Amino acid sequence: MSIIASYDFNDSTAQYKRFASLAVNYVDNPAMAKAPIAQIPLENFYRLLEMFRYDAFSDEPHCGVLEVNAHNDDEEASSRSGWQNQIVRALNAAVDSTFASKNEAINEMEDVLRQLVRSASLEAPKQAPAKQFLSRFITALD
Amino acid sequence: MLPKQFLLDECKNLKSVLQETLRFDYGLEGSKDFYEECELRLTFITDEIEQAPEDDVLNLRRCSAQLDQLSKLISRIERSSISEYSWPFVCAFKDITQNICKENKAISDSEDPKIHVLSEGGLSSYKIYAEQIDRIPGKRRILTIVFPRTLKHFVLLHPILGHEIGHAIFKMTNHQSVLASILNNELFTPSANFSTQDTISAWVFSNTAPEAVQKQVAFLNTNGIVEKEFFTKYASLPAWLEEILCDLLGLLIFGPSYIGAQCNLLLGMEPSGLYLSKTHPPTALRINLVLNAAKALGYDSIVFDKDVAPHSKAFWDGVNSLIQPSDWFNVFTEDGIKNTLTALQTYLSSFEKTLYPIHDKETIQQLSRQLFKLIPPVGNCYNAEGEPDCKEVDFRHILYAGWIASEFDPQNLNFAMVNRLCEHGIMQQNAISLFANREK
């Protein structure tokens, strides 16, 4: 038996809130995105936008070709059901507050993330909407 | 020591482990990429802990969990020893799955995941861990392929990884909605028993179910789970449906050898085929489905010459004898299966090398004959002038020939020997293909 109860560390919501918060810093100071660790929040937020684009949030662990001695995996899978609900609500709130449509929001925000990751720069007109989108996302997760 | 300092010390410990382990080479491609990815993740987590105030217990807990996961990942990579798995098979497997597993990233429009391989005990250890992307503070996705340690050389059973890579493919955002919609529209909706959650529950609880299933249903009832609650209190419907999808993907990626692998492994682990699992539909249903699908694909309809035909027939007769005759197991319509396969084939064909290249009679015959003579099956023979004639042969055709040869003379050419010959064939074919391509 483990030395401590396996608490549920399903902090997806807190995780994405943190990524968004770091992304705001990079939008404010694009040159900071040169740092290798900047790629982690930026790439992960990009992944989230891709999940949002395709409504593809199935990310449960599974337990091999046949369920044999895999009850822990079962329990983990069932505890993760709906992990994305609050995050999707926050993304929708951010879309509504900033862009005309979900597609426009995803395309624009992905472009922002690409510019930051690839060249550590950001076109000036993209800065304000990007910051508004991310900030609204963060407050919607509170 | 306060928790923050304790975690920062653990970061240092992990850094030291990282230096000790991943600076050595693991696998054929070395460990540089893994080292860089793990180091980046560790730097990020360390930075996050340093920035968190001492009393920010929520963030420290999140960082602690991330550190824990990274430590487990590094240990898994450290244990990945090339001596414990069939590397010729892994190389070939990576080659056919690389394109479909590319991820759309901010840094580039398509990036390969990193794949590492290890072995574990138990037949049920065949698995591909795809990291859950909402939990991993990582730049690059890492897939871990796990083989059963005892089956190191049993390449004829490894096509079951076609099912496992199906899960990894389904978790990729760009594939998930397309694949789900194909399954829903073509396979589930036309099925009287599988069109909705309620109809599936009714099918499970039906009085036409085999006695063994009815006994499990009675047991569920005694535990307060009634028909309407089967998928809300006991089983996971999305997990069941994903398993069905992955069986079909495995079949379409590996071809006939997938049938041999799935039938033998699944029934070897669960001989009744009737267990009502929380995460998987009954094995017998899955076996009926893949065998009916193989028939629809015409895999068993190619007529070989007199040397090979009896053994090919023995292989197909053997697996087809596993079909459960009761209608209860045949929940999908013939047209539904055909239409699903066509749609999935069309989708998979847009990714180079992923779809099983339908075999031609001559290639399978040549490979089978080599095996009958205890020669590793490869695309190499001598022409009329006595010169070596090298040609490309897909490793999935070698595996199909292996299954046919396993029926040739089990006394003198047993299953383990066929597997070793096929493994050698796959390895040698790699060199032959390089040579054949160089000539072009």
Side-chain angles (χ1 to χ4, degrees):
Chain A
M1 189 175 282
S2 156
I3 56 168
I4 189 169
S6 60
Y7 54 81
D8 177 19
F9 58 83
N10 182 9
D11 279 341
S12 307
T13 305
Q15 176 89 313
Y16 281 113
K17 195 174 164 183
R18 179 70 184 147
F19 287 150
S21 156
L22 289 168
V24 170
N25 294 342
Y26 299 124
V27 168
D28 282 339
N29 300 292
M32 281 170 60
K34 257 189 192 150
I37 57 169
Q39 289 189 29
I40 287 187
L42 296 173
E43 282 292 1
N44 278 279
F45 206 83
Y46 190 94
R47 283 193 180 108
L48 176 65
L49 290 170
E50 284 289 284
M51 286 194 268
F52 186 47
R53 179 194 295 279
Y54 294 106
D55 190 23
F57 290 93
S58 172
D59 196 27
E60 286 76 23
H62 72 100
C63 46
V65 288
L66 187 67
E67 180 197 28
V68 178
N69 302 325
H71 302 294
N72 291 337
D73 284 353
D74 288 352
E75 284 159 19
E76 193 180 357
S78 61
S79 75
R80 282 179 49 75
S81 172
W83 64 270
Q84 77 278 17
N85 293 346
Q86 196 185 351
I87 294 167
V88 171
R89 277 196 295 274
L91 283 168
N92 281 320
V95 169
D96 293 343
S97 74
T98 319
F99 296 102
S101 69
K102 176 179 165 179
N103 272 346
E104 187 196 350
I106 293 170
N107 292 339
E108 282 296 309
M109 287 307 298
E110 286 191 353
D111 192 34
V112 165
L113 297 171
R114 269 194 299 269
Q115 287 188 30
L116 288 171
V117 167
R118 293 181 190 185
S119 60
S121 64
L122 186 59
E123 291 164 20
K126 291 191 182 280
Q127 211 159 9
K131 197 170 168 179
Q132 186 178 328
F133 181 90
L134 292 165
S135 303
R136 183 70 188 97
F137 175 73
I138 292 166
T139 53
L141 287 178
D142 284 337
Chain B
M1 201 186 311
L2 292 168
K4 178 173 169 173
Q5 189 53 50
F6 187 85
L7 290 176
L8 286 170
D9 281 1
E10 176 61 3
C11 289
K12 280 185 199 154
N13 300 338
L14 195 51
K15 174 91 178 170
S16 157
V17 170
L18 192 57
Q19 299 285 359
E20 278 172 28
T21 60
L22 294 193
R23 66 194 170 93
F24 299 114
D25 277 353
Y26 288 94
L28 291 179
E29 295 148 3
S31 54
K32 183 172 171 282
D33 285 349
F34 287 117
Y35 179 82
E36 286 174 357
E37 175 65 26
C38 292
E39 193 195 32
L40 182 67
R41 292 184 187 189
L42 181 57
T43 308
F44 177 79
I45 296 167
T46 309
D47 193 59
E48 288 286 279
I49 297 171
E50 279 169 350
Q51 287 188 38
E54 188 68 63
D55 60 353
D56 187 353
V57 290
L58 285 180
N59 265 324
L60 288 175
R61 189 185 76 161
R62 181 171 56 82
C63 293
S64 171
Q66 290 171 351
L67 201 55
D68 195 57
Q69 286 188 324
L70 181 59
S71 180
K72 285 175 181 162
L73 173 68
I74 292 170
S75 297
R76 279 210 303 269
I77 298 173
E78 185 185 7
R79 285 193 291 116
S80 171
S81 161
I82 204 164
S83 63
E84 290 182 8
Y85 62 88
S86 169
W87 60 265
F89 180 92
V90 169
C91 288
F93 182 67
K94 282 182 183 175
D95 191 42
I96 62 167
T97 52
Q98 206 169 34
N99 272 308
I100 198 163
C101 288
K102 283 184 193 296
E103 191 184 9
N104 186 7
K105 305 275 300 289
I107 192 76
S108 105
D109 291 336
S110 66
E111 190 176 51
D112 301 341
K114 282 307 297 171
I115 296 178
H116 78 102
V117 186
L118 54 94
S119 69
E120 282 179 359
L123 291 176
S124 61
S125 53
Y126 270 119
K127 190 182 287 194
I128 295 181
Y129 291 105
E131 293 185 298
Q132 291 160 253
I133 54 181
D134 65 296
R135 290 185 177 187
I136 304 297
K139 179 185 147 206
R140 207 162 171 186
R141 210 157 189 200
I142 295 180
L143 301 178
T144 308
I145 300 179
V146 186
F147 289 94
R149 177 69 185 87
T150 54
L151 297 181
K152 173 182 173 182
H153 298 298
F154 285 75
V155 291
L156 297 190
L157 298 173
H158 294 350
I160 201 68
L161 289 173
H163 171 101
E164 293 303 311
I165 200 72
H167 286 292
I169 292 168
F170 187 67
K171 281 177 177 47
M172 297 186 67
T173 47
N174 47 335
H175 302 314
Q176 199 172 106
S177 52
V178 180
L179 294 174
S181 125
I182 290 173
L183 261 276
N184 281 330
N185 296 340
E186 307 295 351
L187 192 64
F188 299 140
T189 305
S191 160
N193 293 319
F194 261 63
S195 53
T196 66
Q197 179 169 306
D198 286 348
T199 60
I200 304 174
S201 300
W203 168 77
V204 171
F205 280 69
S206 113
N207 56 15
T208 59
E211 197 184 332
V213 173
Q214 293 195 38
K215 277 185 183 166
Q216 293 172 78
V217 165
F219 181 75
L220 289 175
N221 274 321
T222 59
N223 283 285
I225 296 166
V226 296
E227 183 183 314
K228 292 277 179 206
E229 297 167 333
F230 181 70
F231 284 114
T232 53
K233 287 192 173 169
Y234 180 71
S236 159
L237 182 60
W240 272 40
L241 303 183
E242 190 176 323
E243 293 300 329
I244 289 169
L245 167 71
C246 293
D247 284 341
L248 294 177
L249 289 176
L251 179 68
L252 289 169
I253 292 171
F254 270 97
S257 60
Y258 181 79
I259 295 282
Q262 172 156 329
C263 291
N264 282 280
L265 279 166
L266 264 57
L267 289 175
M269 288 187 278
E270 205 258 287
S272 80
L274 299 173
Y275 175 52
L276 279 182
S277 146
K278 292 178 182 178
T279 51
H280 295 66
T283 298
L285 176 150
R286 296 170 60 191
I287 286 178
N288 273 27
L289 172 63
V290 292
L291 287 169
N292 286 330
K295 201 174 282 295
L297 290 162
Y299 285 165
D300 62 346
S301 62
I302 293 181
V303 181
F304 295 110
D305 64 19
K306 63 180 175 40
D307 293 339
V308 176
H311 314 298
S312 154
K313 183 174 181 305
F315 167 69
W316 286 108
D317 286 351
V319 290
N320 283 324
S321 72
L322 302 171
I323 289 184
Q324 293 276 356
S326 161
D327 273 349
W328 187 81
F329 295 97
N330 293 319
V331 293
F332 303 114
T333 64
E334 211 176 301
D335 282 347
I337 294 172
K338 275 185 193 160
N339 295 338
T340 307
L341 292 169
T342 305
L344 289 175
Q345 277 177 312
T346 306
Y347 189 65
L348 293 181
S349 63
S350 54
F351 303 95
E352 198 190 349
K353 297 185 185 177
T354 302
L355 186 65
Y356 175 73
I358 197 75
H359 45 271
D360 66 86
K361 180 166 117 166
E362 285 72 25
T363 301
I364 301 296
Q365 284 172 179
Q366 182 192 333
L367 298 169
S368 302
R369 277 200 199 89
Q370 288 170 327
L371 281 164
F372 298 164
K373 293 179 196 162
L374 307 183
I375 296 170
V378 289
N380 181 39
C381 58
Y382 290 95
N383 60 24
E385 287 77 42
E387 296 293 319
D389 186 8
C390 297
K391 67 169 185 177
E392 287 249 30
V393 166
D394 193 287
F395 80 114
R396 293 164 284 192
H397 294 159
I398 292 176
L399 297 171
Y400 181 31
W403 279 104
I404 293 172
S406 70
E407 300 287 347
F408 174 64
D409 179 6
Q411 293 293 323
N412 297 307
L413 178 57
N414 64 35
F415 191 59
M417 286 165 73
V418 177
N419 275 277
R420 288 306 291 265
L421 288 167
C422 288
E423 187 183 29
H424 279 272
I426 294 168
M427 179 174 60
Q428 291 171 17
Q429 183 60 48
N430 221 352
I432 290 168
S433 297
L434 282 174
F435 182 77
N437 284 328
R438 188 196 64 135
E439 283 190 327
K440 284 174 200 165

